[in-house]
Amino acid sequence: MTPLLAAVDTFADRLRTLPQSRLSRGAAAEALTLARELAARAQRIEEPEGAAPREMPEAGIFAVADQVAVAGHDLAEALAAGGTRGAGVTEAVELVEEAARRCGL
């Protein structure tokens, strides 16, 4: 889980340092998309027979860093509890790294 937690925390920390103008130009939207995907993955692991994953709400550009962190930590916990660490962690880390690249971080 360490690589996923490190990637998520690093990305969230970088988002927190961005000025409002940069967040508004797409970084916040990219981060929210990532947070929603991480949250959906966690929900599918925790509730495999459940309904469609609930979508993380838009809480504003200054909240996206926290949303990424929470969703990433939730996914790490779900992966650990579900025993699906290897590939799931690698895929999640790649998602975070791709989002960071798209944000220019």
Side-chain angles (χ1 to χ4, degrees):
M1 295 308 120
T2 302
L4 175 55
L5 295 175
V8 165
D9 289 343
T10 298
F11 183 50
D13 287 344
R14 289 179 179 163
L15 286 168
R16 289 182 185 105
T17 68
L18 294 180
Q20 180 177 355
S21 60
R22 189 138 168 226
L23 288 167
S24 297
R25 285 190 307 243
E30 183 65 43
L32 180 59
T33 299
L34 172 65
R36 286 176 171 166
E37 177 59 26
L38 296 176
R41 287 175 182 237
Q43 289 176 55
R44 284 192 295 269
I45 292 168
E46 293 171 340
E47 302 170 14
E49 302 297 324
R54 296 165 303 282
E55 185 173 277
M56 181 175 282
E58 184 173 343
I61 63 173
F62 297 114
V64 293
D66 293 331
Q67 288 178 297
V68 167
V70 168
H73 282 254
D74 283 351
L75 178 56
E77 288 294 321
L79 288 167
T84 56
R85 295 178 182 188
V89 171
T90 302
E91 290 175 9
V93 169
E94 289 172 359
L95 286 174
V96 174
E97 290 173 348
E98 290 169 9
R101 276 192 292 278
R102 288 191 294 273
C103 289
L105 299 176

